[in-house]
Structure formats: C-alpha cells, structure tokens
Amino acid sequence: MLKVFRRIRKGLLSEKKFSSYLLYAIGEIILVVIGILIALQINNYSEQSKQRKQERLLLSNLSNDVELDIQQIENNTKLSRERLKRLDSLVQLLKNPESIDKGSFIRRSYEFVFDQYFKSNSGIFDEAVSSGKMSFVQNEALRQDIFNYYRNAKETYTDGTTRQITDEYITPLLVEHVYLNQEGLAMLGLNLEDISTLKSLDANTLAQNREYWKMVLLKFGGNQEQIVRWNAIKERAEELKQSIDLELEKI
C-alpha cells in the first residue's frame, strides 16, 4: 500500500501537478490522523474493558464479604439470645432457693462470662483502599455507600464496652458471689473443707444479694444492647449488598 502511495506521489511530482499533490498529501495526513485516533480508541476501549473487569471482581468480592457480615450477625444474635434464655432459666431457679442443686447452679453460671463479638469481614475493602482500587467503582454514590458501611461497621464501641464490663465487673462479681465457696472450689478439684473457712453456697442469701442482681442486670443489658447494634449493622449490610448486586447486573 505504501509503495502505491509513493508511486502516485512521484507521478504527481514528475508531472508538476502541485495542487493535486497537495491534496494527496493532505489526504495522506488525514488518513494517518484517523489511524492514530482509531488506535487510541481501541486502546481506550481495551483499558476501559480491563477496568470494568477489575470493578466487577472487586464488587463481587465486596458482596461476598458483606454477606459474611450478615451471616456472622445472624449467628451472633442467635447464640446470644439462646445464652440469655439459659441464664434467665438459671436466675428463675432463685424463686425456690431451697430446691437448687448448688453444683449445677454454679456450673451453669459460668455462661455469665461468655459474649459474642462482631468483627466485620473488611479484608477486601481495606486492601482496595490501600491500593487505590476503590477508584474502580465508577458509581460514585455506591462507592460512598461502601465507605460509609465499613466506617460504621468498624465502630465496635458496643462490643468493646460489653467486653470491658464482662472482664472488669461481671467476672469479679461472679467469682465473689457464686464461685467463692466450698462447691465452687470443689468444681476445680479442690477439697478445702478442713482448710478453708469458706461456707457452702447459700442460695437464699444470693437471691437477696444486690451485687448478684447488678451482675445479672449488666449481663442482660449489655448483650441486648449488642443485639440492637448488630441488627442496625445488618440492615445497612443488606441494603449495601442489594446495591452492589444491582450494580453488578449493569456491568
């Protein structure tokens, strides 16, 4: 093709048809420019296609992580409610203190020191932020929703407060008023009847103990506050997942 153009150009020059040559030269320049533009367009399309694939992969992974958050919250809520039911049944035994099996009561009381904690599955999001890949998400409103969700989900002050209350208040109260007796020590394999002056667990006294009921109040209040907080996060997670999945359908 280039040889043909050269021959035409030489022919025009040899015949001294300058105006025709000029038109030919302009046409040749236009063809070159068009070729460059086409090449740039192809390159841009290829780059955009590549970015869309990366966006789709990122959104798909984020959708999976948000789904894991939802499942974790549902599991945490289920376990916490079941534990509170068991503890409520245990506390109800104090209506008839004389009929309480002390050993069983003490063993079951150990559930006072257990809690569930929510930790968002934010690995994909954190990596995307640090690497700048969040810019792949072209829907600006969706991108902002993703940032807002993880900022909210990571504010685990409720779980942190619950952990602190369990460690600093509930556990010491449980030890003092439920475990620090002959039955509690016997559960550890210690027989200190001839050594310690500790008495047997007195369920009647325990039922009137304000410190014990303070422990019960802290436990139930803290866990129920967690459940409310988790449900709020779950609602946000479900809305975000729906938005991400809708965006994936468009890509």
Side-chain angles (χ1 to χ4, degrees):
M1 182 62 72
L2 292 176
K3 291 182 179 180
V4 173
F5 283 131
R6 290 195 191 98
R7 289 174 184 173
I8 295 174
R9 183 171 53 188
K10 287 181 179 179
L12 291 172
L13 287 173
S14 63
E15 296 174 9
K16 298 182 180 180
K17 295 180 180 179
F18 181 75
S19 59
S20 297
Y21 173 73
L22 183 60
L23 290 174
Y24 164 79
I26 293 173
E28 190 173 4
I29 292 172
I30 292 173
L31 287 174
V32 171
V33 172
I34 291 174
I36 293 173
L37 290 176
I38 292 174
L40 288 173
Q41 187 66 24
I42 293 174
N43 183 65
N44 287 338
Y45 176 80
S46 177
E47 186 63 27
Q48 289 177 1
S49 179
K50 179 181 177 181
Q51 288 184 358
R52 293 297 270 180
K53 288 181 180 179
Q54 292 173 320
E55 179 186 15
R56 181 173 182 80
L57 178 61
L58 174 59
L59 289 178
S60 179
N61 288 336
L62 285 172
S63 178
N64 291 336
D65 272 2
V66 173
E67 176 61 29
L68 289 175
D69 281 359
I70 294 171
Q71 293 176 7
Q72 182 186 167
I73 289 172
E74 290 176 344
N75 186 59
N76 280 1
T77 301
K78 177 176 177 290
L79 292 176
S80 290
R81 284 177 172 163
E82 289 175 349
R83 184 184 304 112
L84 290 179
K85 285 181 180 179
R86 290 193 296 271
L87 288 174
D88 180 61
S89 297
L90 177 68
V91 170
Q92 294 301 320
L93 294 176
L94 290 173
K95 290 180 178 179
N96 299 296
E98 295 81 5
S99 63
I100 288 178
D101 181 311
K102 297 179 182 180
S104 175
F105 184 87
I106 292 173
R107 283 193 298 273
R108 292 171 62 186
S109 293
Y110 192 59
E111 288 202 84
F112 273 104
V113 301
F114 288 113
D115 296 298
Q116 303 301 128
Y117 304 108
F118 170 72
K119 182 174 176 56
S120 177
N121 293 274
S122 62
I124 296 296
F125 171 76
D126 293 337
E127 192 277 331
V129 171
S130 63
S131 64
K133 292 180 181 178
M134 281 302 298
S135 61
F136 293 159
V137 181
Q138 297 185 21
N139 186 325
E140 185 176 347
L142 176 59
R143 185 168 63 248
Q144 190 59 49
D145 286 344
I146 294 171
F147 273 103
N148 289 338
Y149 168 74
Y150 279 104
R151 180 165 53 249
N152 181 267
K154 289 183 177 182
E155 292 178 354
T156 55
Y157 59 87
T158 303
D159 285 359
T161 301
T162 300
R163 187 192 302 271
Q164 182 179 9
I165 289 174
T166 297
D167 292 343
E168 297 182 9
Y169 296 96
I170 293 179
T171 300
L173 289 173
L174 183 68
V175 171
E176 177 69 25
H177 300 290
V178 179
Y179 279 86
L180 197 58
N181 49 59
Q182 291 290 348
E183 291 84 7
L185 293 173
M187 285 181 57
L188 301 176
L190 299 172
N191 185 355
L192 304 179
E193 291 183 6
D194 299 330
I195 304 174
S196 173
T197 57
L198 289 175
K199 298 180 180 180
S200 177
L201 175 68
D202 187 337
N204 281 290
T205 301
L206 185 65
Q208 304 300 319
N209 190 315
R210 289 178 59 86
E211 290 296 303
Y212 176 80
W213 292 114
K214 177 182 178 181
M215 179 188 74
V216 173
L217 176 64
L218 289 172
K219 181 65 178 180
F220 278 75
N223 280 190
Q224 288 173 354
E225 184 181 1
Q226 280 184 296
I227 291 172
V228 171
R229 163 73 175 164
W230 294 337
N231 285 334
I233 296 175
K234 181 186 173 184
E235 288 181 7
R236 285 175 171 263
E238 289 173 337
E239 292 174 359
L240 178 60
K241 179 172 171 54
Q242 184 179 24
S243 297
I244 292 175
D245 291 345
L246 286 174
E247 188 68 19
L248 283 168
E249 292 177 1
K250 302 175 185 178
I251 300 176

